């Protein structure tokens, strides 16, 4: 399946959860937020939420400020 991550097309084998995506990308989930098709997915759902073909994923770092 083809998905778009931060405007870059990538290919993965389904099924794929968000946590599996992070493992495949060798990326830490700490301090990271994620939106799929402009909908923020709570971290509590990352182990069960399946990514679909052509999903547009935005990964971004949470930044604390004041």
């Amino acid at each position: 399946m083809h998905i778009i991550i931060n405007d870059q097309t990538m290919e993965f084998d389904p099924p794929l959860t968000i946590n599996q995506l992070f493992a495949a990308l060798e990326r830490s989930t700490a301090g990271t937020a994620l939106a799929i098709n402009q909908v923020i997915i709570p971290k509590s759902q990352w182990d069960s939420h399946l990514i679909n073909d052509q999903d547009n994923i935005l990964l971004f770092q949470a930044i604390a400020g004041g």
Side-chain angles (χ1 to χ4, degrees):
M1 81 178 151
H2 293 88
I3 59 175
I4 302 166
I5 302 173
N6 293 350
D7 296 323
Q8 182 178 1
T9 301
M10 303 183 97
E11 188 170 339
F12 294 91
D13 292 327
L16 183 70
T17 66
I18 296 170
N19 279 335
Q20 289 169 333
L21 172 65
F22 275 91
L25 295 173
E26 297 179 353
R27 184 173 175 155
S28 172
T29 61
T32 302
L34 174 135
I36 297 178
N37 303 323
Q38 301 180 351
V39 176
I40 294 176
I41 308 300
K43 205 169 227 181
S44 62
Q45 296 178 13
W46 287 11
D47 197 39
S48 60
H49 187 96
L50 291 175
I51 297 170
N52 297 304
D53 188 47
Q54 300 299 317
D55 274 350
N56 191 336
I57 299 173
L58 177 62
L59 299 176
F60 49 96
Q61 289 298 121
I63 299 173

